[in-house]
Amino acid sequence: EKGGHKHFMHKEIHEQPRAVADTLRGRMLLSEGDVHFEGWNLSADKVRALTKVTILACGTSWHSGIVGKAMIESLARLPVEVELASEFRYRDPIVEPTHLAIAISQSGETADTLAAFKEAKARGATALALCNVIGSAMTREADITILTNAGPEIGVASTKAFTTQLVGLYLLAVKLGRMRGTLTVKAAQEHLTALTEVPKMIEDVLKCEPSVKRVAREFMGAQDFLFLGRGPMHPVALEGALKLKEISYIHAEGYAGGEMKHGPIALIDEKMPVVIIAPKQPHVAYEKIIGNIEEVRARGGKVIAIIDEDDTHVATLADHIIRIPAASALLAPVVATIPMQLLSYHVADLRGNDVDQPRNLAKSVTVE
Ligand code: F6R
């Protein structure tokens, strides 16, 4: 059932080209520059009248929400707030009938997300579920459901659910952008064309596994890890840290690069590996991230840099490099997440941990 893989998590990491292709299939109308979602029932008037999107999620799904914010804001020009579901409902949130509430959840059963989603709906928001399990509680609550089609995810650590959520959010951002008139047909076609390349891009990035494994071997004994990323790489840094904590039980923190000097820099010494996610893109502030690398090196920290295939500069500054294919700003998070998943997987496996069933964790958190 694991198809030759040692763990479900490893199988699910390698399934991502297929999972993403299944999430895209039948939804991209390339010649029209539009997106088709089964059961979409929001009128153009309603979409144009939207004033805000509120994303509700927990854990890894919350990280995908942060990426989704960038996608929806840039393509549909709608303000997006990303809320931890467990906080949202306890603070008398402002919800209007012109708001779209999006619950993001692999299982569709996470108690906090479900409760927040119900709360937003009760206060008049339109409720959209981005979910991997058809018939789950969230899909039953939703006015509209977009399925991620990742297939069953068995490993407790979320992998293919996350990347399929990212492409699902991208499709949604294109759809909203077209309906609101903020995205031209031509621009939409370019985004959709980029999306068609994602399965192949993931196949390519999976080839970094041997270099990730070497890094895992070198740092499997570390007590702490720091993950840094700017712009669209910030949620990838958060996700890298969460994955590592969950299955390797190594303390890890994810930070936006610019925040380092406001505190975490105090932690850096020669024992501290720092994963710096530094593909070369305008939104990542490449020069600034190079500054981060120098700051870490100056304090003896060990830099593991995730960089573009053709990068020649960072390659000379870092202690270890992991190369990934170049991607657009909105798709780079999909690509850059793969080495994060592989790193946590191999560290956990080398430490002899139960990768698919990490201690203290459940696949679906149905208590609040
Ligand atoms: C991380 C992980 C959890 C879930 C979170 C939400 O690997 O699996 O953080 O992402 O519990 O679960 P869903 O997406 O099912 O609502």
Side-chain angles (χ1 to χ4, degrees), residues 129-144:
L130 177 65
C131 192
N132 196 40
V133 181
I134 190 166
S136 59
M138 272 174 241
T139 67
R140 293 195 305 267
E141 194 65 36
D143 298 311
I144 305 175

Side-chain angles (χ1 to χ4, degrees), residues 57-62 104-110 113 138 153 155-159 161 165 239 242-243 246 362-365:
C58 303
T60 288
S61 296
W62 182 73
I104 305 179
S105 176
Q106 189 285 128
S107 60
E109 303 291 346
T110 301
T113 308
M138 272 174 241
E153 192 180 63
V156 162
S158 186
T159 53
Q165 285 165 356
E239 176 61 5
L242 177 61
K243 284 282 96 87
E246 276 187 290
K363 181 64 186 159
S364 160
V365 185

Side-chain angles (χ1 to χ4, degrees), residues 244-272:
L244 195 71
K245 279 181 270 206
E246 276 187 290
I247 57 170
S248 75
Y249 317 140
I250 294 175
H251 166 243
E253 301 208 39
Y255 264 95
E259 278 294 290
M260 195 168 75
K261 57 186 168 301
H262 299 290
I265 197 163
L267 294 169
I268 293 174
D269 62 17
E270 52 296 330
K271 290 200 291 286
M272 176 73 112

